[in-house]
């Protein structure tokens, strides 16, 4: 039993909202000596440490509940690098889309790795309880790589050969770099990421994830921690999309959670403010299976 916390795609409010129902679910389906592992998109599947439910409930769910980072201002080093590479107002949309595409790709890759790892560990049915507000499933977007016209009428600089310079440590290197002195990042890497992220096809990736899960005998149980959301985007500080666009995005995110669960013989708890009731159904489903083995 693995609990997957989709940190980049859950708001702080969502992580608070699901905290106690999740604690009661874990308490309901696991015995005192049963083990549960917690994984986030930033982890490798091999890094999962299984612990007894009392330790997981106290340390991972109750004491450290504000784990959601969706719509927060937190950025990792690579996302800060994108902002440094494209500092103009006209490229703000490029930076935001690159961040969103990278985070979604990171989550789906982590789930794929988890499924393959669980499939190699044991044959019995595995349950992956995924707490997420859904995904947009980005498709290829050639417009992401189009150079923008800046406010002074000039065109966004086209990446070229990096100049030779020196770093903070005094050593000669190619490019000024945007990262730390130990791990400098150049504008060429920014452009490489921009091109790579413009070509991703996460719809294909999630179909492959479903196939891998069925082969590995792993079922996804998905939970939208918001309950019954009215809008997908908050009212500020950035202006939200028009209401009809927001509703399309919201519906698409919820549908991705349904599709992943229903196509892997799991359950989806979405569009309901009664998370407790949905998680009770989930607990009943998780505890009603057994494995029959035989020798031919």
């Amino acid at each position: 039993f693995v609990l997957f916390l989709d940190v980049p795609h859950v708001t702080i409010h969502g992580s608070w909202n699901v905290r106690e129902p999740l604690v009661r679910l874990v308490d309901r389906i696991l015995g005192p000596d049963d083990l549960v592992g917690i994984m986030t998109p930033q982890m490798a599947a091999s890094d999962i440490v299984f612990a007894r439910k009392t330790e997981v409930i106290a340390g991972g769910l109750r004491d450290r509940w504000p784990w959601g980072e969706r719509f927060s201002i937190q950025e990792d080093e690579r996302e800060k690098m994108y902002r440094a590479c494209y500092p103009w107002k006209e490229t703000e949309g490029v930076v935001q889309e690159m961040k969103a595409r990278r985070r979604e790709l990171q989550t789906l890759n982590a789930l794929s790795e988890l499924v393959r790892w669980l499939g190699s560990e044991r044959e019995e049915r595995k349950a992956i309880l995924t707490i997420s507000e859904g995904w947009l499933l980005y498709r290829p977007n050639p417009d992401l790589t189009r150079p923008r016209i800046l406010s002074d009428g000039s065109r966004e600089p086209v990446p070229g050969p990096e100049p030779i310079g020196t770093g903070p440590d005094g050593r000669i290197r190619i490019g000024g770099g945007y990262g730390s002195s130990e791990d400098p990042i150049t504008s060429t890497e920014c452009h490489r990421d921009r091109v790579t992220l413009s070509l991703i096809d996460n719809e294909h990736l999630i179909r492959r994830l479903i196939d891998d899960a069925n082969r590995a005998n792993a079922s996804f149980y998905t939970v939208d921690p918001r309950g019954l959301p009215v809008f997908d985007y908050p009212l500020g500080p950035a202006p939200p999309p028009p209401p009809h666009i927001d509703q399309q995005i919201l519906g698409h995110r919820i549908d991705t959670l349904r599709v992943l669960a229903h196509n892997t013989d799991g359950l989806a708890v979405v569009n309901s403010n009664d998370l407790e009731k949905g998680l009770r159904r989930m607990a009943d489903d998780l505890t009603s299976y057994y494995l029959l083995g035989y020798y031919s």
Side-chain angles (χ1 to χ4, degrees), residues 6 23 39 67 90 141 236:
D6 189 6
V23 166
M39 182 178 176
W67 47 265
E90 292 78 12
N141 178 20

Side-chain angles (χ1 to χ4, degrees), residues 1-239:
F1 180 81
V2 175
L3 181 59
F4 187 88
L5 305 179
D6 189 6
V7 174
H9 299 101
V10 173
T11 59
I12 290 181
H13 170 73
S15 61
W16 166 262
N17 199 37
V18 79
R19 180 186 64 147
E20 287 302 324
L22 204 54
V23 166
R24 286 190 283 272
L25 170 70
V26 173
D27 192 49
R28 189 178 293 123
I29 64 177
L30 297 179
D33 295 325
D34 289 339
L35 301 179
V36 57
I38 294 182
M39 182 178 176
T40 67
Q42 291 76 26
M43 294 171 56
S46 57
D47 293 336
I48 295 177
V49 176
F50 287 88
R52 287 183 171 81
K53 71 173 185 179
T54 51
E55 299 170 7
V56 171
I57 288 174
L61 298 178
R62 275 207 172 101
D63 298 343
R64 293 192 290 272
W65 64 265
W67 47 265
E69 294 181 1
R70 190 181 177 207
F71 300 128
S72 74
I73 61 173
Q74 297 186 60
E75 295 178 331
D76 63 19
E77 288 302 314
R78 205 152 191 90
E79 291 171 352
K80 292 176 183 176
M81 177 262 286
Y82 295 158
R83 197 169 295 283
C85 286
Y86 308 112
W88 307 281
K89 183 178 69 173
E90 292 78 12
T91 54
E92 177 62 25
V94 172
V95 173
Q96 293 300 330
E97 184 170 345
M98 288 177 67
K99 285 169 51 179
R101 284 173 169 264
R102 178 173 174 266
R103 290 181 179 189
E104 185 174 281
L105 183 63
Q106 190 177 33
T107 291
L108 296 180
N109 281 338
L111 287 172
S112 297
E113 182 187 352
L114 174 60
V115 164
R116 290 192 295 269
W117 181 75
L118 287 174
S120 65
E121 286 295 304
R122 60 193 308 173
E123 294 182 4
E124 293 91 337
R125 187 170 185 263
K126 282 80 64 176
I128 303 172
L129 179 55
T130 305
I131 311 300
S132 177
E133 296 175 9
W135 311 287
L136 290 179
L137 300 184
Y138 285 98
R139 301 293 306 278
N141 178 20
D143 185 65
L144 185 62
T145 58
R146 174 180 56 83
R148 271 45 178 181
I149 302 298
L150 305 181
S151 57
D152 60 0
S154 63
R155 187 179 292 269
E156 180 189 342
V158 177
E162 294 286 342
I164 297 177
T166 56
D169 54 1
R171 284 190 257 177
I172 296 177
R173 68 184 184 193
I174 296 177
Y178 297 104
S180 64
S181 58
E182 294 81 13
D183 186 25
I185 301 166
T186 65
S187 59
T188 302
E189 291 182 80
C190 285
H191 186 65
R192 187 186 302 124
D193 277 14
R194 186 169 172 176
V195 172
T196 301
L197 292 171
S198 74
L199 297 174
I200 63 174
D201 186 351
N202 287 347
E203 282 194 9
H204 173 74
L205 187 57
I206 202 167
R207 288 196 297 268
R208 196 171 65 195
L209 171 61
I210 290 170
D211 290 341
D212 290 344
N214 287 324
R215 280 194 293 271
N217 198 18
S219 296
F220 281 95
Y221 291 80
T222 55
V223 179
D224 185 345
R226 296 172 293 183
L228 182 60
V230 179
F231 299 105
D232 187 62
Y233 283 82
L235 296 179

